[in-house]
Amino acid sequence: MKGFPTKINQIEERIRGIQPAAYSASRNYKAGAVTYLSPYISRGVISTRQVLLHIYSLNLPPSHTEKLIQELAWRDYWQQVWLHKKDEIFQDLKSSQSPVANLSIPKAVIEAKTGIEAVDQAIKELYETGYMHNHMRMYVAAICCNIAQSHWLQPARWMYSLLLDGDLGSNHLSWQWVAGTNSSKKYVANQDNINKYFSSDQKGTFLDVPYADFERMEVPDILKEVKPLEARMSLPYASTNTLKDAPTLIYNYYNLDPYWHGGEEFQRVLLLEPSFFEKFPVSQKCLDFFLDLSSNIADIQVFVGEFDELNSIVSSEHLIYKEHPTNSLYKGKEEPREWMSSVQGDYPSFFAFWKKSKKELLQ
Ligand SMILES: Cc1cc2nc3c(=O)[nH]c(=O)nc-3n(C[C@H](O)[C@H](O)[C@H](O)COP(=O)(O)OP(=O)(O)OC[C@H]3O[C@@H](n4cnc5c(N)ncnc54)[C@H](O)[C@@H]3O)c2cc1C
């Protein structure tokens, strides 16, 4: 991985660099040909549809592109679930997590001291880079929920706060999928599985057991101590003196589309609501990345305050924003987001959603 550049031309270059066939063969491996596009998709700089159109332009056979398109569809699916279930995604969705020993986060996970070398290394990298491989996210979530018996919500908030691609839909719903509260079965992986996909050869860890043992496994001593999420945020200072009551586009943590109403005359405001970041804190690294990405939008003005404060300066008939579950209290004109296909709605499972979407998506 070559870090996460923030200039739009570098991001578009990253889209051009994707390798769908290599992706299909290797995505589950640490060194697999994954795209590293999620931070840009989650921050709303690019859309899944934009990536899809690039994949089509490569004129590859469907057998080479299906896996990547399917993963992009997972993203659209979680967004649809969030859109329809709204704040229900913050609680156990389909069934209650069981057993639950604590409502906190294993200290050994926060401190990257679980004793599973590949996991500890990946957690250290998460702090340094703001990224973690999908398969490793599944291992970490399984350790927290299904081995340490922590309820999924607090560890999910911890991981969300550190990921540059932090997205409450993809994040919380994936944690629920691992914890079995939004899936038919809990996800667990043993040391052999980690060794295979993360090129390690460790033995004798608490995960070095046959799968049948997970059912009756006691919480290992190393995971018994827990800690709450500690996330202190300081939002940047921003003067609001220059804002006018004029046609205004609202950008935020989930919408930094540099081409939105491109070339048109608008006041462009980056809204940072303290109440939102208090509820869903993110690291300074994530905040800096987000602010750097916003400089792809010419003349954007940062507004730190609640929506109502912005609305007291700019009247609702002048405000335009993109549809998103985090914008439910905004007033003004709502514009649609871009999706990969016309398949939308509250599907009971990804595979029901995919069965319908793939007819449109796999050309
Ligand atoms: C516990 C857990 C937490 C997660 N938290 C987040 C999160 O906060 N934000 C986030 O964007 N993704 C999250 N994911 C999904 C997935 O891990 C990331 O989207 C992916 O690892 C991002 O890396 P990439 O862009 O290189 O993905 P690639 O493998 O290259 O995939 C391409 C794109 O497809 C989408 N995608 C791929 N896998 C998934 C998936 N499993 N679910 C949804 N979309 C997917 C992403 O938009 C990604 O950018 C989480 C998964 C798990 C298991």
Coordinates of all heavy atoms in Angstrom, one line a residue, residues 94-164:
K94 N -31.1 -8.5 14.1 CA -32.0 -9.6 13.9 C -32.2 -10.5 15.1 O -33.2 -11.0 15.4 CB -31.5 -10.5 12.7 CG -31.7 -9.8 11.4 CD -31.3 -10.7 10.2 CE -31.5 -10.0 8.9 NZ -30.6 -10.6 7.8
S95 N -31.1 -10.7 15.8 CA -31.2 -11.5 17.1 C -30.2 -10.9 18.1 O -29.2 -10.2 17.7 CB -30.9 -13.0 16.8 OG -29.7 -13.1 16.1
S96 N -30.3 -11.2 19.4 CA -29.5 -10.7 20.4 C -28.1 -11.4 20.4 O -28.1 -12.6 20.3 CB -30.1 -10.8 21.8 OG -31.3 -10.1 21.8
Q97 N -27.1 -10.6 20.7 CA -25.8 -11.3 20.8 C -25.8 -12.1 22.1 O -26.2 -11.7 23.1 CB -24.7 -10.2 20.8 CG -23.3 -10.8 20.8 CD -22.2 -9.8 20.8 OE1 -22.4 -8.7 20.4 NE2 -21.0 -10.2 21.3
S98 N -25.2 -13.3 22.0 CA -25.1 -14.2 23.2 C -24.0 -15.1 23.0 O -23.8 -15.7 22.0 CB -26.4 -14.9 23.3 OG -26.3 -15.9 24.3
P99 N -23.2 -15.4 24.1 CA -23.2 -14.6 25.4 C -22.5 -13.3 25.3 O -21.6 -13.1 24.5 CB -22.4 -15.6 26.3 CG -21.5 -16.3 25.4 CD -22.1 -16.4 24.0
V100 N -22.9 -12.4 26.2 CA -22.2 -11.1 26.3 C -21.6 -11.0 27.7 O -22.4 -11.0 28.7 CB -23.1 -9.9 26.0 CG1 -22.5 -8.6 26.3 CG2 -23.6 -9.9 24.5
A101 N -20.3 -10.8 27.8 CA -19.7 -10.7 29.1 C -19.4 -9.3 29.5 O -19.3 -9.0 30.7 CB -18.4 -11.5 29.2
N102 N -19.3 -8.4 28.5 CA -19.0 -7.0 28.8 C -19.5 -6.1 27.7 O -19.7 -6.5 26.6 CB -17.6 -6.8 29.1 CG -16.7 -7.0 27.9 OD1 -16.6 -6.2 27.0 ND2 -16.1 -8.2 27.8
L103 N -19.6 -4.8 28.1 CA -20.1 -3.8 27.1 C -18.9 -2.8 26.8 O -19.0 -1.6 26.7 CB -21.2 -3.0 27.6 CG -22.5 -3.8 28.0 CD1 -23.6 -2.9 28.5 CD2 -23.0 -4.5 26.8
S104 N -17.7 -3.4 26.7 CA -16.5 -2.6 26.5 C -15.6 -3.2 25.5 O -16.1 -4.0 24.7 CB -15.8 -2.5 27.9 OG -15.6 -1.2 28.3
I105 N -14.3 -2.9 25.5 CA -13.4 -3.4 24.4 C -12.2 -4.1 25.1 O -11.7 -3.5 26.1 CB -12.9 -2.2 23.6 CG1 -14.0 -1.3 23.2 CG2 -12.1 -2.6 22.4 CD1 -13.6 0.2 22.9
P106 N -11.8 -5.3 24.6 CA -10.7 -5.9 25.3 C -9.4 -5.0 25.2 O -9.1 -4.4 24.2 CB -10.4 -7.2 24.4 CG -11.7 -7.4 23.7 CD -12.4 -6.1 23.6
K107 N -8.8 -4.8 26.4 CA -7.7 -3.9 26.5 C -6.5 -4.4 25.6 O -5.8 -3.6 25.0 CB -7.2 -3.9 28.0 CG -6.1 -3.0 28.3 CD -6.0 -2.8 29.8 CE -4.8 -2.0 30.2 NZ -3.6 -2.8 30.5
A108 N -6.4 -5.7 25.5 CA -5.3 -6.3 24.7 C -5.5 -6.0 23.2 O -4.6 -5.9 22.5 CB -5.3 -7.8 24.9
V109 N -6.8 -5.8 22.8 CA -7.0 -5.4 21.4 C -6.7 -3.9 21.2 O -5.9 -3.6 20.3 CB -8.5 -5.7 21.0 CG1 -8.9 -5.0 19.7 CG2 -8.8 -7.2 21.0
I110 N -7.1 -3.1 22.1 CA -6.8 -1.6 22.0 C -5.3 -1.4 22.0 O -4.8 -0.6 21.3 CB -7.4 -0.8 23.2 CG1 -9.0 -0.9 23.1 CG2 -6.9 0.6 23.2 CD1 -9.7 -0.2 24.2
E111 N -4.6 -2.2 22.8 CA -3.1 -2.0 23.0 C -2.3 -2.9 22.0 O -1.1 -3.0 22.1 CB -2.7 -2.3 24.4 CG -3.4 -1.2 25.3 CD -3.0 -1.4 26.8 OE1 -2.3 -2.4 27.1 OE2 -3.4 -0.5 27.6
A112 N -3.0 -3.6 21.1 CA -2.3 -4.5 20.2 C -1.4 -5.5 20.9 O -0.2 -5.8 20.5 CB -1.5 -3.7 19.2
K113 N -2.0 -6.1 22.0 CA -1.2 -7.1 22.8 C -2.0 -8.4 23.0 O -2.0 -8.9 24.1 CB -0.8 -6.5 24.1 CG 0.2 -5.4 24.0 CD 0.6 -4.9 25.4 CE 1.6 -3.7 25.3 NZ 1.5 -2.8 26.4
T114 N -2.6 -8.9 21.9 CA -3.4 -10.1 22.1 C -2.6 -11.3 22.1 O -3.0 -12.4 22.5 CB -4.4 -10.3 20.9 OG1 -3.6 -10.4 19.7 CG2 -5.3 -9.1 20.7
G115 N -1.3 -11.2 21.6 CA -0.4 -12.3 21.5 C -0.5 -13.0 20.2 O 0.3 -13.9 19.8
I116 N -1.5 -12.6 19.4 CA -1.6 -13.2 18.0 C -0.8 -12.2 17.1 O -1.3 -11.1 16.9 CB -3.1 -13.2 17.5 CG1 -4.1 -13.8 18.5 CG2 -3.2 -13.9 16.1 CD1 -4.1 -15.3 18.6
E117 N 0.3 -12.6 16.7 CA 1.3 -11.7 16.1 C 0.7 -10.9 14.9 O 0.8 -9.7 14.8 CB 2.6 -12.4 15.6 CG 3.4 -12.8 16.8 CD 4.4 -13.9 16.5 OE1 4.6 -14.2 15.3 OE2 5.0 -14.5 17.4
A118 N 0.0 -11.6 14.0 CA -0.5 -11.0 12.8 C -1.6 -10.0 13.2 O -1.7 -8.9 12.6 CB -1.1 -12.0 11.8
V119 N -2.3 -10.3 14.2 CA -3.4 -9.4 14.6 C -2.8 -8.1 15.3 O -3.2 -7.0 15.0 CB -4.4 -10.1 15.6 CG1 -5.3 -9.2 16.3 CG2 -5.1 -11.2 14.8
D120 N -1.8 -8.4 16.2 CA -1.2 -7.2 16.8 C -0.5 -6.3 15.8 O -0.6 -5.1 16.0 CB -0.2 -7.7 17.9 CG -1.0 -8.4 19.1 OD1 -2.2 -8.2 19.2 OD2 -0.3 -9.2 19.8
Q121 N 0.1 -6.9 14.9 CA 0.8 -6.1 13.8 C -0.2 -5.2 13.1 O 0.0 -4.1 12.8 CB 1.5 -7.1 12.9 CG 2.3 -6.4 11.8 CD 3.4 -5.4 12.3 OE1 3.9 -5.6 13.4 NE2 3.6 -4.4 11.5
A122 N -1.3 -5.9 12.7 CA -2.4 -5.2 11.9 C -3.0 -4.1 12.8 O -3.4 -3.0 12.2 CB -3.4 -6.2 11.5
I123 N -3.2 -4.3 14.1 CA -3.8 -3.2 14.9 C -2.8 -2.0 15.0 O -3.2 -0.8 14.9 CB -4.1 -3.7 16.3 CG1 -5.3 -4.7 16.2 CG2 -4.6 -2.6 17.2 CD1 -5.6 -5.5 17.5
K124 N -1.5 -2.3 15.1 CA -0.5 -1.2 15.1 C -0.6 -0.5 13.8 O -0.5 0.8 13.8 CB 0.9 -1.8 15.3 CG 1.2 -2.2 16.8 CD 2.6 -2.7 16.9 CE 2.7 -3.6 18.2 NZ 3.7 -4.6 18.1
E125 N -0.7 -1.2 12.7 CA -0.8 -0.6 11.4 C -2.0 0.3 11.3 O -2.0 1.3 10.6 CB -0.7 -1.6 10.3 CG 0.7 -2.1 10.0 CD 0.7 -3.3 9.0 OE1 -0.3 -3.6 8.3 OE2 1.7 -4.0 9.1
L126 N -3.1 -0.2 11.9 CA -4.4 0.6 11.8 C -4.1 1.9 12.5 O -4.6 3.0 12.0 CB -5.5 -0.2 12.6 CG -6.8 0.5 12.8 CD1 -7.5 0.9 11.5 CD2 -7.8 -0.3 13.6
Y127 N -3.5 2.0 13.6 CA -3.2 3.2 14.3 C -2.3 4.1 13.4 O -2.5 5.3 13.3 CB -2.5 3.0 15.6 CG -3.4 2.5 16.7 CD1 -3.2 1.3 17.3 CD2 -4.4 3.3 17.2 CE1 -4.0 0.8 18.3 CE2 -5.2 2.9 18.3 CZ -5.1 1.6 18.8 OH -5.9 1.2 19.8
E128 N -1.3 3.5 12.7 CA -0.4 4.3 11.9 C -1.0 4.8 10.6 O -0.7 5.9 10.1 CB 0.8 3.4 11.5 CG 1.9 3.4 12.6 CD 2.8 2.2 12.5 OE1 3.0 1.7 11.3 OE2 3.2 1.7 13.5
T129 N -1.8 3.9 9.9 CA -2.2 4.2 8.6 C -3.7 4.5 8.4 O -4.1 5.1 7.4 CB -2.0 3.0 7.6 OG1 -2.8 1.9 8.1 CG2 -0.5 2.5 7.7
G130 N -4.5 4.1 9.4 CA -6.0 4.3 9.3 C -6.6 3.3 8.4 O -7.7 3.4 7.9
Y131 N -5.9 2.2 8.1 CA -6.4 1.1 7.2 C -6.2 -0.2 7.8 O -5.2 -0.5 8.5 CB -5.8 1.2 5.8 CG -6.3 0.1 4.9 CD1 -7.5 0.4 4.1 CD2 -5.7 -1.1 4.7 CE1 -8.0 -0.5 3.2 CE2 -6.3 -2.1 3.8 CZ -7.4 -1.8 3.1 OH -7.9 -2.7 2.3
M132 N -7.2 -1.2 7.6 CA -7.0 -2.6 8.0 C -7.6 -3.4 6.9 O -8.7 -3.1 6.4 CB -7.6 -2.8 9.3 CG -7.5 -4.2 9.8 SD -8.3 -4.5 11.5 CE -6.9 -4.1 12.6
H133 N -7.0 -4.5 6.5 CA -7.5 -5.4 5.5 C -8.8 -6.0 6.0 O -9.0 -6.3 7.1 CB -6.4 -6.5 5.3 CG -6.7 -7.5 4.2 ND1 -7.6 -8.5 4.3 CD2 -6.2 -7.5 3.0 CE1 -7.7 -9.1 3.1 NE2 -6.8 -8.6 2.3
N134 N -9.7 -6.3 5.0 CA -11.1 -6.8 5.3 C -11.0 -8.1 6.2 O -11.7 -8.2 7.2 CB -11.8 -7.1 4.0 CG -13.2 -7.7 4.3 OD1 -14.1 -7.0 4.9 ND2 -13.4 -8.9 3.9
H135 N -10.2 -9.0 5.8 CA -10.1 -10.3 6.5 C -9.7 -10.1 7.9 O -10.2 -10.7 8.8 CB -9.2 -11.2 5.7 CG -9.6 -12.7 5.8 ND1 -9.1 -13.6 4.9 CD2 -10.4 -13.3 6.6 CE1 -9.6 -14.8 5.2 NE2 -10.4 -14.6 6.2
M136 N -8.7 -9.2 8.1 CA -8.2 -8.9 9.4 C -9.3 -8.2 10.3 O -9.4 -8.4 11.5 CB -7.0 -8.0 9.3 CG -6.3 -7.7 10.7 SD -6.0 -9.1 11.7 CE -4.5 -9.9 10.9
R137 N -10.1 -7.3 9.6 CA -11.2 -6.7 10.4 C -12.1 -7.8 10.9 O -12.7 -7.7 12.0 CB -12.0 -5.8 9.4 CG -11.2 -4.6 8.9 CD -12.1 -3.7 8.1 NE -11.2 -2.8 7.3 CZ -11.5 -1.7 6.7 NH1 -12.7 -1.2 6.8 NH2 -10.6 -1.0 6.0
M138 N -12.3 -8.9 10.1 CA -13.2 -10.0 10.5 C -12.6 -10.7 11.7 O -13.2 -11.1 12.7 CB -13.4 -10.9 9.4 CG -14.3 -10.3 8.3 SD -14.3 -11.2 6.7 CE -15.1 -12.7 7.2
Y139 N -11.2 -10.9 11.6 CA -10.5 -11.6 12.7 C -10.7 -10.8 14.0 O -11.0 -11.3 15.1 CB -9.0 -11.8 12.5 CG -8.7 -12.7 11.3 CD1 -7.5 -12.4 10.5 CD2 -9.4 -13.8 10.9 CE1 -7.2 -13.2 9.4 CE2 -9.1 -14.6 9.8 CZ -7.9 -14.3 9.1 OH -7.6 -15.0 8.0
V140 N -10.4 -9.5 13.9 CA -10.4 -8.6 15.1 C -11.9 -8.6 15.7 O -12.0 -8.7 16.9 CB -9.9 -7.2 14.8 CG1 -10.1 -6.2 15.9 CG2 -8.5 -7.2 14.4
A141 N -12.9 -8.5 14.8 CA -14.2 -8.4 15.3 C -14.6 -9.8 16.0 O -15.3 -9.8 17.0 CB -15.2 -8.1 14.2
A142 N -14.1 -10.9 15.4 CA -14.4 -12.2 16.0 C -13.8 -12.4 17.3 O -14.4 -12.9 18.3 CB -14.0 -13.3 15.0
I143 N -12.5 -11.9 17.5 CA -11.8 -12.0 18.7 C -12.6 -11.2 19.8 O -12.9 -11.6 20.9 CB -10.4 -11.5 18.6 CG1 -9.6 -12.5 17.8 CG2 -9.7 -11.2 20.0 CD1 -8.2 -12.0 17.4
C144 N -13.0 -10.0 19.4 CA -13.7 -9.1 20.4 C -15.1 -9.7 20.8 O -15.4 -9.8 22.0 CB -14.0 -7.7 19.8 SG -12.5 -6.7 19.6
C145 N -15.9 -10.1 19.8 CA -17.3 -10.5 20.1 C -17.4 -11.9 20.5 O -18.2 -12.2 21.4 CB -18.2 -10.2 18.8 SG -18.1 -8.6 18.2
N146 N -16.7 -12.8 19.7 CA -17.0 -14.2 19.9 C -16.0 -15.0 20.7 O -16.3 -16.1 21.1 CB -17.2 -14.8 18.5 CG -18.2 -14.1 17.7 OD1 -19.1 -13.6 18.2 ND2 -18.1 -14.1 16.3
I147 N -14.9 -14.3 21.0 CA -13.9 -15.0 21.9 C -13.9 -14.2 23.3 O -14.1 -14.8 24.3 CB -12.5 -15.0 21.3 CG1 -12.5 -15.6 19.9 CG2 -11.5 -15.7 22.2 CD1 -12.8 -17.1 19.8
A148 N -13.8 -12.9 23.2 CA -13.8 -12.1 24.4 C -15.2 -11.8 25.0 O -15.4 -11.3 26.1 CB -13.1 -10.8 24.2
Q149 N -16.2 -12.1 24.2 CA -17.6 -11.9 24.5 C -17.9 -10.4 24.9 O -18.7 -10.1 25.8 CB -18.0 -12.8 25.7 CG -17.9 -14.3 25.3 CD -18.2 -15.2 26.5 OE1 -18.6 -14.8 27.5 NE2 -17.9 -16.5 26.3
S150 N -17.3 -9.5 24.2 CA -17.7 -8.1 24.3 C -18.8 -7.9 23.3 O -18.9 -8.4 22.2 CB -16.5 -7.2 23.8 OG -15.4 -7.3 24.6
H151 N -19.8 -7.1 23.8 CA -20.9 -6.7 22.9 C -20.3 -6.0 21.7 O -19.4 -5.2 21.9 CB -22.0 -5.9 23.6 CG -23.1 -5.6 22.7 ND1 -23.2 -4.5 21.9 CD2 -24.2 -6.4 22.4 CE1 -24.3 -4.5 21.2 NE2 -25.0 -5.7 21.4
W152 N -20.8 -6.2 20.5 CA -20.1 -5.6 19.3 C -20.0 -4.1 19.2 O -19.1 -3.5 18.6 CB -20.8 -6.2 18.0 CG -22.2 -5.7 17.9 CD1 -23.3 -6.4 18.3 CD2 -22.7 -4.5 17.3 NE1 -24.5 -5.6 18.1 CE2 -24.1 -4.5 17.5 CE3 -22.1 -3.4 16.7 CZ2 -24.9 -3.4 17.0 CZ3 -22.9 -2.3 16.3 CH2 -24.3 -2.3 16.4
L153 N -21.0 -3.4 19.9 CA -21.1 -2.0 19.6 C -19.9 -1.1 20.0 O -19.4 -0.3 19.2 CB -22.3 -1.4 20.3 CG -22.6 0.1 20.0 CD1 -22.8 0.4 18.6 CD2 -23.8 0.6 20.8
Q154 N -19.3 -1.3 21.2 CA -18.2 -0.5 21.6 C -16.9 -0.8 20.8 O -16.2 0.1 20.3 CB -17.9 -0.6 23.1 CG -19.0 0.0 23.9 CD -19.4 1.4 23.5 OE1 -18.6 2.3 23.2 NE2 -20.7 1.7 23.6
P155 N -16.6 -2.1 20.6 CA -15.4 -2.3 19.7 C -15.6 -1.8 18.3 O -14.7 -1.4 17.6 CB -15.3 -3.9 19.7 CG -16.1 -4.4 20.8 CD -17.1 -3.3 21.2
A156 N -16.9 -1.9 17.8 CA -17.2 -1.3 16.4 C -16.9 0.2 16.4 O -16.3 0.7 15.5 CB -18.6 -1.6 16.1
R157 N -17.3 0.9 17.5 CA -17.1 2.3 17.6 C -15.6 2.6 17.6 O -15.1 3.6 17.0 CB -17.8 2.9 18.8 CG -19.3 2.8 18.7 CD -19.9 3.4 20.0 NE -19.8 4.9 20.0 CZ -19.4 5.6 21.0 NH1 -19.2 5.0 22.2 NH2 -19.3 6.9 20.9
W158 N -14.8 1.8 18.3 CA -13.4 1.9 18.4 C -12.8 1.8 17.0 O -12.0 2.7 16.5 CB -12.8 0.9 19.3 CG -11.3 0.7 19.2 CD1 -10.3 1.5 19.8 CD2 -10.6 -0.4 18.5 NE1 -9.1 1.0 19.4 CE2 -9.3 -0.2 18.7 CE3 -11.1 -1.5 17.8 CZ2 -8.3 -1.0 18.2 CZ3 -10.1 -2.3 17.3 CH2 -8.7 -2.1 17.4
M159 N -13.2 0.7 16.3 CA -12.6 0.5 14.9 C -13.0 1.7 14.0 O -12.2 2.2 13.2 CB -13.0 -0.8 14.4 CG -12.2 -1.2 13.1 SD -12.7 -2.7 12.4 CE -11.7 -3.9 13.2
Y160 N -14.3 2.0 14.0 CA -14.8 3.1 13.2 C -14.0 4.4 13.4 O -13.6 5.1 12.5 CB -16.3 3.4 13.5 CG -16.8 4.6 12.9 CD1 -17.4 4.6 11.6 CD2 -16.9 5.9 13.6 CE1 -17.9 5.8 11.0 CE2 -17.4 7.0 13.0 CZ -17.9 7.0 11.7 OH -18.4 8.1 11.2
S161 N -13.6 4.7 14.7 CA -12.9 5.9 15.0 C -11.5 6.0 14.4 O -11.0 7.0 14.2 CB -12.9 6.1 16.5 OG -11.9 5.3 17.1
L162 N -11.0 4.8 14.0 CA -9.6 4.8 13.6 C -9.5 4.6 12.0 O -8.4 4.8 11.5 CB -8.9 3.6 14.2 CG -8.7 3.7 15.8 CD1 -8.2 2.4 16.3 CD2 -7.8 4.8 16.1
L163 N -10.6 4.1 11.4 CA -10.5 3.9 10.0 C -10.7 5.1 9.1 O -11.7 5.8 9.3 CB -11.6 2.9 9.6 CG -11.4 1.4 10.0 CD1 -12.8 0.7 9.9 CD2 -10.3 0.7 9.2
L164 N -9.8 5.3 8.2 CA -10.0 6.5 7.2 C -11.3 6.2 6.5 O -12.0 7.2 6.0 CB -8.9 6.6 6.3 CG -7.5 6.9 6.8 CD1 -6.5 7.1 5.7 CD2 -7.5 8.2 7.7

